[in-house]
Amino acid sequence: MPYQVIRRDLTETSRKCDFCPQYLTSLKAYILKDLETGLLYYSGPTCAKNKAGEGAISGIPDLTKFTLSTKDREGSCSTGGQRGNGEDNQEKKAIEYLMLRENKLVNELKCSYSVLKEYYEKLNSQGLSRSDIQHINNISAKAPDNLSPLTLQKIYNYLFWIDVGIEKLPSEKTAFLVGVRKTIISKGRITEKQKTSINKWLEHINGVPQLK
């Protein structure tokens, strides 16, 4: 059955590759779509290339840019440090922006925009044209700082791991992370002081990485 690698995303250390018995210990997984069934699978780079082809993991949308990889355990099916050759790929940037504004952060930040919502629906139903991609990137380039691509990437990574940290901690020790989560959402940004404080908490929680 044919597969397509559609993005790179975050995952917890407890998750195994869907194609082999190894854990995804780098905390960054490749998401593959079965083109026949539409089902999604989490994978490390080796299995992703085996299923979708040698060049399949290059230039794909990447939602993991503010998570530092943990040191891979020997024999693990990790995602490694693959960045691909598509850092300036316009379609990649447009899809990342759509994913963040219309899917990943839409509930927390209330950041949906009717034009982008239509493009997101089109992406999932038939794909984007070149003019669509150009329009999306024009919108992201003109967005205010709290809705810029880098800000949304950062907030997505931080909220993901703050939520994991809250789940792993005893309820009586979650007050700081719960409070900083509310502040990030209300302010729509993360300061350097907040980053330092968050990392000091997360470094003591097993299976949670440091954040850029």
Side-chain angles (χ1 to χ4, degrees):
M1 58 185 72
Y3 292 91
Q4 178 186 1
V5 183
I6 59 174
R7 71 177 184 275
R8 195 181 189 207
D9 212 335
L10 301 171
T11 185
E12 295 183 56
T13 54
S14 59
R15 180 145 195 165
K16 289 184 178 181
C17 175
D18 288 329
F19 300 109
C20 77
Q22 303 300 332
Y23 286 96
L24 299 168
T25 58
S26 75
L27 313 177
K28 301 179 180 184
Y30 292 95
I31 314 303
L32 279 67
K33 181 179 182 179
D34 184 323
L35 297 179
E36 293 180 355
T37 66
L39 296 176
L40 300 181
Y41 298 88
Y42 280 62
S43 170
T46 300
C47 288
K49 288 186 285 188
N50 288 342
K51 294 293 184 179
E54 185 64 30
I57 64 175
S58 296
I60 59 171
D62 185 355
L63 303 183
T64 73
K65 295 175 183 177
F66 284 91
T67 295
L68 293 172
S69 292
T70 57
K71 185 177 181 181
D72 300 331
R73 292 197 296 265
E74 184 176 357
S76 68
C77 184
S78 74
T79 62
Q82 172 67 272
R83 290 179 179 271
N85 299 316
E87 287 299 316
D88 297 319
N89 184 285
Q90 297 303 303
E91 182 177 13
K92 170 181 172 289
K93 292 195 296 184
I95 293 174
E96 287 174 357
Y97 197 64
L98 288 180
M99 285 292 301
L100 291 165
R101 279 198 69 168
E102 299 299 332
N103 180 272
K104 298 295 185 177
L105 296 171
V106 66
N107 293 324
E108 285 88 352
L109 300 186
K110 310 301 181 187
C111 55
S112 182
Y113 173 42
S114 58
V115 176
L116 293 177
K117 184 177 181 180
E118 289 182 9
Y119 280 136
Y120 182 67
E121 292 171 351
K122 184 177 180 182
L123 169 68
N124 291 322
S125 62
Q126 64 190 77
L128 301 171
S129 68
R130 288 186 179 182
S131 61
D132 295 338
I133 291 166
Q134 184 177 4
H135 191 199
I136 293 163
N137 287 331
N138 286 342
I139 292 172
S140 69
K142 296 177 182 178
D145 184 64
N146 66 310
L147 293 175
S148 71
L150 285 180
T151 297
L152 295 182
Q153 283 268 9
K154 190 172 188 178
I155 289 176
Y156 171 60
N157 281 242
Y158 275 60
L159 291 183
F160 183 95
W161 291 113
I162 285 172
D163 286 345
V164 173
I166 290 171
E167 289 180 7
K168 289 178 175 288
L169 287 173
S171 59
E172 67 271 14
K173 294 184 178 181
T174 62
F176 170 76
L177 292 180
V178 170
V180 78
R181 188 187 197 281
K182 291 179 180 177
T183 300
I184 290 171
I185 292 173
S186 65
K187 300 293 185 181
R189 61 187 177 88
I190 300 167
T191 65
E192 283 298 310
K193 184 177 180 180
Q194 284 175 323
K195 182 185 80 169
T196 301
S197 299
I198 292 167
N199 276 334
K200 284 181 179 179
W201 273 81
L202 297 185
E203 69 180 348
H204 299 296
I205 305 174
N206 185 43
V208 179
Q210 293 287 279
L211 301 168
K212 296 179 184 178

